[in-house]
Amino acid sequence: MAISLKLNGQTHQVEAEPGTPLLWVIRDELKLTGTKFGCGVAACGACTVHLDGEPVRSCQTFVEDAEGAEITTIEGLNSKVSKAVQDAWVELDVVQCGYCQSGQIMSAVGLLSENPKPTVEEIDSFMNGNACRCATYQRIRAAIQRASEMMEA
Amino acid sequence: MTLNTSRRGFLKSAAAAAAVLYVGVRPNGALAAGSAPAQLNPFVKISADGTVTAIVKHFEKGQGPATGLTTLIAEELGVSMEDIQYEFAPSDPSRYANLAFGQMQGTGGSTAMANSFLQYRQAGAAAREMLIQAAAEAWGADTAELTLEDGILKGAGQEAPLAEFVAAAAQMEAPAEPRLKDPSEFRLIGNASVKRKDSLPKTNGTAMYAMDLHLPNQMVAVIIRSPRMGGLASGFDDANAKEIKGYIRAAVLPNQAGVAVYAEDTWGAFQARDAITVDWDFSNAESRSSDQIREELLAAVNTDPEYNVTGADQAATAAQIDGAAKVVEQTFYFPLLAHAPMEPLTCTIEADEDGGVTLHDGCQFPTGPHIAMAQIFQLPMEKIRINTMFAGGSFGRRATPTADYQVEAALAFALTDRSRPVKLVWSREDDITGGYYRPAVAHRVRVGLDADGNIAGWDHRIAAQPILKGTAFESMLVHDGVDHSSVEGVAGSPYQIPGQHVGLTDVAKATTVLWWRSVGHTHTAYVMETMLDQAAHAAGRDPVEFRLALLEGGGADQQRLAGVLKLAAEKGGWGSAPEGRSQGIAVHKSFGSYVAEVVEISGNANDGVKIEKVTCAVDCGIAVNPDVIKAQMEGGIGYGLGHVMRNEITLTEGEVDQSNFPDYEPLRIGDIGAIEVHIVPSAEMPTGVGEPGTPPSAPALANAIAVNGPLVTELPMNLNGVSFA
C-alpha cells in the first residue's frame, strides 16, 4: 500500500505492506541508518524514534500507524533539548561501540522534553528500556544531568 | 606478547614525485616511507594539503583504538588531536599483523595498544624527522634548530605549516631509528582531556556500521540454521514464502549447515524465513541438554583430572589438606553465556571489477575470513579485499576460528550469479541461539588452612569445554593437551600459594564455544577470589590482609597486584561501609593488567540486593588515554556484573532455550548505582584494558553478598538464591 510519511520535516511516499515495522521503512526504504536494529521486539530501544515528540520503538510500530504523525529520527533532531543532549554526550565521551546511542539519545531527549530536571531515579526509570551492551550507563546518566544543566544556561 | 624493536632497518624507498607522504613499515618490519601506499604499510599518511591520517590496524568496537592509535601518531608527529583523522587498515597480514599473534591481523586479547605502542610512535616520529629534515634543507637551517608542534614547523627565524614540506619529505628515506619522545615530553599520551575521535559520528547517527551499508542493487540474505549443533539441511519448502513481498529465493548452503533465504530487503527476508520449513537430518546432531552437560562437568571435577596443569604432586597436596587444621571446600558451576553485541552480526560481499571480491564487515580478525574467502572463491589472496567498518560491540563474538558468519555470507554469495551484492543479516534470535558461547565450566576447590590460618594446600580442579583445541589457534594456547584458556587465572596466578595443585579435565562440547570478554578469567577469577575470601573468613582474617600476605615478598607481578588491591581498598573505603551496606573485594591479573574492585551493596540475598557502588583500581602500565581506560573499566564491570546477575544459555535436547533479550535480559541503567575508577601511575609498557575490568567484578559482588548471605557457587545469581532490588 502507498503510505505518506512525515519524517524529519519532509513528506515521503513509500510503498509498504501493512504491518511492516516503521524501523525497516526508515532504514531500508528511506536509507536513514542512524536508527538501529537491535532486537526487533522492543526490548533494547536501539530503534527509538519520536512520533509527535514521544519516544517510541520503531521496530514495534507499524508503518501505517505512523501515517499523519511527525516522525523524528536521530538525523532530524533539531531543538534546544536535543542540542544539549548531543553536546553533553560528546563532552562526556559517553559512547563506546555507539550502536545503541541513537536510541539512547532519542529517549534522553524525550525525557528532558517532558521533565527538564529529572532525578537519578527518574532517569533510571525512563531510560530502563534502552540497553547498552557496552554498559555506558554511568555516562548516560551523567550526560542527561549535564544536558539538564546546559538547558538552563 | 612480542614487541620486536630490533629489526628496524633503513630501506630505500622508490619514491616517485607525489605530494603524499606515507610512513610505516615494510613486511620485514623495517621503517619505511614513500609516496605510494603499495610500497609499504603506512601507519600515517600526510596529504599535500597537510591532512594527517592515522591508518588504524585494529578494529573499533568501542574499546578505543581509533582514538588510541591516533594519539600515538599525533604525539610523536607533533599535531593536535583535532588535526588528525583516522581510517581502518585494509586486510594485509604481512604488514598489519598483530605483533602478539604472529602473522595474523586481528584484534583480541586486549592487545591493541600493547602491540601498537612502539610501532605507531615510531611511524609518527619518523614522519616528524623527515618533515623537519625537509624544512631544514629548504631554510638552510640545522635540524636541531627546528621543532614541529601542532602541525607547525618552527625555527631559525622561520615558521610554516607542515603541508609545505610534504612533497619534499615524500622523496626521502625514512630514518632507521627516529628519536621517540621521553615520557616527560608527552603532551597527548596520558592526557585525560584527550577526547574520543568517534564521539561525534556516534552521537548524530552518521557513524557507519556494517549493518548500515546499503550497496546499490544489494540482496539481503538470512540463514535458517540447524537448531542443534551438527544438524544438516536436506531440503526445504518455500511455498508460503512466495507470497512475501521482496522474497527472491532460498537455497541449501553447500555445507548443509543451513538454508540461505534471499530477499530484496531485511524485513522481507525475515518474513520469508519464517514462512519456510526446512528438512533437517539430525542423525549426527547434538542431543544433550545443558542439565546433562552440567552433570558431566560436575562429575569430572570429582574424579582424577585428565591433566596436571602445574605439575604439582597431587597426592602430596591432598595429604597437606587432609592434615590441615581447617578445610574450606566448594564446587562451582558456570553456565554457557552469549556475547550479544548490540549490533547483530552482519557483513556484505560484493564482486569487484577485476574478478575479486570485497567483504564489508566490522571485521575483528581480517586474516581468518580473508583466507576462508580465498578458498571459497578460489581466488588469490590479493583478490580478496576487506573494508573494515565500525563494529557495534563484539566481546569476542566477531572473531571466531571458523570465521563463521563471514563464511556464511561467502557461501550465500557463491550460490548467486554474483551480479548483486549480498548482505548477510543476523537477527537477535540468530545471535542468541546461534552458538559460540562462553563454555560451561565447573570447578572444585579444597583449601587446607594450618593452625595459624595460613594456606597449607590448595587443590583446584577444573572441567571445561575447551575453546581452542581443534581450532587454528590450537598451537598458540594448547600445550601438552592443556587448553590454557580453561585454566588461565588459576594456573600462573601471582598469588604465592603453597602446595597448589591445578588439574583439568576436558568435557566434550554440546555447542560451539568461544572466548567471551576475558575468556578463562570469567570463571577462574570468580573461583580464586571467592575461595580466598572463604579461606580468609575461616582463618578469621581480613580478606585484604589475607591476600596481601600471599603477595608479600614477591616480585613486580605481586607488587603491582598488591598495589591495585590497596588502592581500591583505600578509595572504596574498605572496612568502613555505611550503615546497611556490605562490601566485597576482588583483585585479578589478566592480559597483563592488574585490576581490583570493591563492590558495595545494600540489602541482602533474600530481600533484594542493590549494587550501590563499584570502586575500581587499574594498573595497565602507561595510561595512553586515561578516559578511555576508565570507560573500559566501567564497561567491563557492567558486562561482568550483568551476566552473573541473571544470564545463562541453556539447552534442551541440543536446542537453545533462550531467544532474545526478554529471556537473556541485559544489564539495565538502574542496576549499578555508581562506578569510580582510579588509574595507578606507571612507566611500564601499556597493557590491555578491554577485558581486565570484567574478571574481578563478579567475585567482588559475590563476596559482598556473602557478608550477609550465601556464597553463590552456581550462576546466574538470580536463579541461585539471590534476588535483586
Side-chain angles (χ1 to χ4, degrees):
Chain A
M1 65 186 279
I3 294 167
S4 175
L5 292 180
K6 275 195 283 180
L7 191 137
N8 298 337
Q10 286 189 316
T11 302
H12 300 265
Q13 303 298 328
V14 300
E15 187 60 38
E17 295 295 296
T20 301
L22 178 61
L23 168 69
W24 294 114
V25 175
I26 291 171
R27 286 183 56 85
D28 280 3
E29 279 286 308
L30 303 175
K31 308 211 171 38
L32 290 173
T33 54
T35 304
K36 302 302 188 194
F37 165 56
C39 71
V41 296
C44 79
C47 67
T48 304
V49 301
H50 291 177
L51 279 196
D52 294 328
E54 292 283 321
V56 299
R57 310 299 184 219
S58 65
C59 76
Q60 292 296 310
T61 303
F62 294 153
V63 62
E64 62 270 27
D65 293 343
E67 200 163 18
E70 293 280 354
I71 308 164
T72 309
T73 68
I74 185 85
E75 292 90 347
L77 284 180
N78 179 24
S79 68
K80 189 181 170 189
V81 175
S82 65
K83 181 169 186 341
V85 169
Q86 287 173 304
D87 286 352
W89 243 251
V90 171
E91 182 182 311
L92 299 185
D93 271 349
V94 171
V95 308
Q96 290 187 29
C97 93
Y99 192 79
C100 74
Q101 299 293 349
S102 295
Q104 303 280 359
I105 287 167
M106 296 309 288
S107 288
V109 171
L111 166 62
L112 290 173
S113 298
E114 68 173 47
N115 180 1
K117 288 185 74 73
T119 63
V120 167
E121 291 71 26
E122 286 167 340
I123 292 171
D124 286 359
S125 170
F126 196 93
M127 300 298 292
N128 186 57
N130 285 85
C132 172
R133 297 291 292 162
C134 301
T136 62
Y137 297 125
Q138 305 300 315
R139 292 178 189 230
I140 288 172
R141 201 186 279 140
I144 290 173
Q145 291 169 320
R146 177 76 186 109
S148 172
E149 283 172 21
M150 288 174 167
M151 285 158 57
E152 286 191 331
Chain B
M1 197 202 72
T2 312
L3 270 171
N4 191 334
T5 57
S6 65
R7 53 184 180 168
R8 285 171 283 148
F10 191 11
L11 284 191
K12 289 185 177 183
S13 66
V20 181
L21 169 63
Y22 294 94
V23 181
V25 294
R26 296 186 183 284
N28 66 359
L31 262 179
S35 58
Q39 296 159 358
L40 48 98
N41 104 341
F43 293 133
V44 57
K45 177 173 79 177
I46 309 177
S47 306
D49 65 358
T51 304
V52 180
T53 306
I55 314 293
V56 176
K57 69 175 183 176
H58 289 286
F59 91 140
E60 177 65 79
K61 58 183 162 179
Q63 85 283 32
T67 305
L69 272 53
T70 303
T71 302
L72 303 178
I73 298 280
E75 178 71 79
E76 294 289 349
L77 174 58
V79 297
S80 72
M81 285 299 284
E82 291 71 33
D83 289 330
I84 185 167
Q85 307 174 349
Y86 66 91
E87 56 190 51
F88 298 114
S91 172
D92 183 351
S94 73
R95 298 156 188 271
Y96 290 110
N98 183 327
L99 302 180
F101 295 170
Q103 278 304 308
M104 177 146 181
Q105 183 178 346
T107 303
S110 299
T111 56
M113 183 53 75
N115 96 94
S116 307
F117 187 63
L118 289 180
Q119 212 177 29
Y120 276 68
R121 287 174 63 205
Q122 283 162 357
R128 177 179 59 183
E129 291 192 1
M130 294 162 75
L131 290 163
I132 285 180
Q133 178 71 37
E137 285 173 16
W139 293 340
D142 192 300
T143 54
E145 298 174 79
L146 305 185
T147 60
L148 171 49
E149 274 179 24
D150 291 331
I152 306 292
L153 286 138
K154 262 188 212 169
Q158 306 264 12
E159 180 175 330
L162 62 80
E164 290 194 12
F165 304 101
V166 171
Q171 311 231 20
M172 291 179 182
E173 293 170 341
E177 299 276 350
R179 190 188 83 84
L180 298 181
K181 282 186 178 177
D182 183 83
S184 64
E185 300 170 80
F186 288 159
R187 302 171 68 189
L188 302 173
I189 293 174
N191 184 338
S193 66
V194 166
K195 308 291 290 175
R196 285 187 76 103
K197 291 295 285 181
D198 53 353
S199 265
L200 190 61
K202 289 178 174 178
T203 302
N204 62 20
T206 58
M208 284 291 288
Y209 302 80
M211 188 65 88
D212 300 332
L213 192 68
H214 196 112
L215 295 176
N217 201 32
Q218 75 176 21
M219 291 190 283
V220 172
V222 297
I223 309 288
I224 309 174
R225 295 174 192 83
S226 172
R228 289 153 55 184
M229 187 173 75
L232 296 175
S234 53
F236 61 87
D237 176 358
D238 69 343
N240 293 333
K242 288 172 179 161
E243 317 284 312
I244 308 286
K245 178 173 178 274
Y247 173 64
I248 298 170
R249 68 183 181 105
V252 176
L253 291 176
N255 60 4
Q256 289 183 271
V259 173
V261 178
Y262 304 84
E264 296 295 338
D265 56 34
T266 319
W267 181 240
F270 285 164
Q271 283 198 302
R273 175 165 69 171
D274 289 346
I276 293 173
T277 52
V278 176
D279 305 319
W280 294 108
D281 173 1
F282 287 133
S283 50
N284 289 313
E286 179 59 46
S287 61
R288 286 176 294 169
S289 297
S290 40
D291 285 349
Q292 281 171 270
I293 303 299
R294 179 178 169 278
E295 294 308 317
E296 286 179 37
L297 288 163
L298 291 174
V301 292
N302 282 301
T303 55
D304 282 341
E306 193 177 353
Y307 304 105
N308 182 333
V309 178
T310 48
D313 184 337
Q314 188 186 345
T317 297
Q320 282 161 341
I321 297 168
D322 290 341
K326 274 186 185 168
V327 177
V328 181
E329 189 169 352
Q330 294 287 357
T331 301
F332 297 83
Y333 176 74
F334 299 85
L336 296 165
L337 291 174
H339 306 70
M342 206 69 224
E343 178 195 25
L345 300 177
T346 180
C347 62
T348 300
I349 297 181
E350 65 171 327
D352 297 330
E353 284 181 2
D354 67 352
V357 297
T358 295
L359 168 73
H360 304 270
D361 182 21
C363 198
Q364 180 159 2
F365 269 29
T367 305
H370 198 143
I371 293 170
M373 288 197 301
Q375 287 169 350
I376 290 167
F377 298 120
Q378 291 292 298
L379 285 168
M381 289 289 277
E382 63 271 19
K383 288 280 181 75
I384 306 286
R385 289 105 193 175
I386 298 180
N387 169 33
T388 295
M389 306 178 73
F390 279 128
S394 172
F395 316 112
R397 182 60 186 89
R398 289 180 207 276
T400 56
T402 53
D404 69 314
Y405 69 94
Q406 296 99 340
V407 164
E408 279 185 349
L411 294 176
F413 183 69
L415 286 173
T416 70
D417 66 4
R418 307 186 188 186
S419 64
R420 302 181 67 180
V422 171
K423 177 179 184 177
L424 174 80
V425 175
W426 283 46
S427 65
R428 180 59 58 196
E429 290 81 4
D430 292 331
D431 174 59
I432 298 294
T433 60
Y436 295 95
Y437 306 111
R438 193 283 300 271
V441 183
H443 288 238
R444 179 166 178 262
V445 187
R446 294 179 73 221
V447 181
L449 294 166
D450 67 20
D452 297 326
N454 295 311
I455 294 174
W458 183 296
D459 184 33
H460 200 131
R461 298 172 187 197
I462 301 172
Q465 303 164 313
I467 296 172
L468 295 153
K469 239 181 214 186
T471 74
F473 295 87
E474 179 157 348
S475 63
M476 286 168 71
L477 283 158
V478 180
H479 305 295
D480 298 326
V482 175
D483 190 325
H484 285 269
S485 70
S486 298
V487 298
E488 59 182 2
V490 174
S493 160
Y495 288 120
Q496 302 165 114
I497 296 173
Q500 189 185 29
H501 162 261
V502 181
L504 171 69
T505 302
D506 289 344
V507 170
K509 60 192 180 189
T511 178
T512 42
V513 295
L514 186 65
W515 38 64
W516 182 101
R517 196 175 195 167
S518 81
V519 200
H521 301 281
T522 61
H523 51 92
T524 58
Y526 191 93
V527 175
M528 288 298 294
E529 290 299 301
T530 55
M531 285 306 294
L532 281 166
D533 252 45
Q534 296 291 300
H537 294 316
R541 291 164 64 180
D542 173 77
V544 172
E545 179 272 317
F546 189 76
R547 286 173 172 81
L548 289 174
L550 293 170
L551 298 168
E552 212 174 280
D557 217 21
Q558 286 73 25
Q559 287 166 18
R560 293 178 75 182
L561 199 70
V564 293
L565 180 61
K566 285 189 256 190
L567 183 61
E570 178 207 325
K571 299 290 187 185
W574 177 252
S576 53
E579 183 70 24
R581 303 266 180 105
S582 309
Q583 295 173 326
I585 197 163
V587 61
H588 195 75
K589 179 192 180 187
S590 61
F591 308 96
S593 294
Y594 306 79
V595 182
E597 289 160 17
V598 176
V599 169
E600 190 168 295
I601 61 168
S602 59
N604 59 52
N606 282 333
D607 304 332
V609 168
K610 165 82 174 125
I611 301 168
E612 301 286 354
K613 186 181 169 192
V614 182
T615 308
C616 169
V618 52
D619 176 351
C620 57
I622 293 170
V624 175
N625 298 128
D627 197 51
V628 170
I629 293 166
K630 287 185 177 181
Q632 284 308 296
M633 293 301 121
E634 292 161 10
I637 289 165
Y639 200 72
L641 293 179
H643 287 86
V644 295
M645 285 168 73
R646 54 181 175 243
N647 290 144
E648 67 171 347
I649 292 291
T650 56
L651 308 174
T652 301
E653 293 179 357
E655 284 193 35
V656 175
D657 297 317
Q658 294 72 24
S659 67
N660 200 320
F661 287 138
D663 52 14
Y664 196 79
E665 174 65 22
L667 182 86
R668 300 285 180 177
I669 190 168
D671 285 323
I672 301 176
I675 301 177
E676 194 180 290
V677 179
H678 301 273
I679 301 173
V680 175
S682 172
E684 300 292 326
M685 286 291 285
T687 47
V689 297
E691 295 167 277
T694 299
S697 61
L701 173 61
N703 288 337
I705 292 170
V707 170
N708 285 311
L711 173 69
V712 183
T713 57
E714 187 155 345
L715 296 170
M717 290 177 167
N718 70 332
L719 298 178
N720 290 282
V722 180
S723 66
F724 287 94

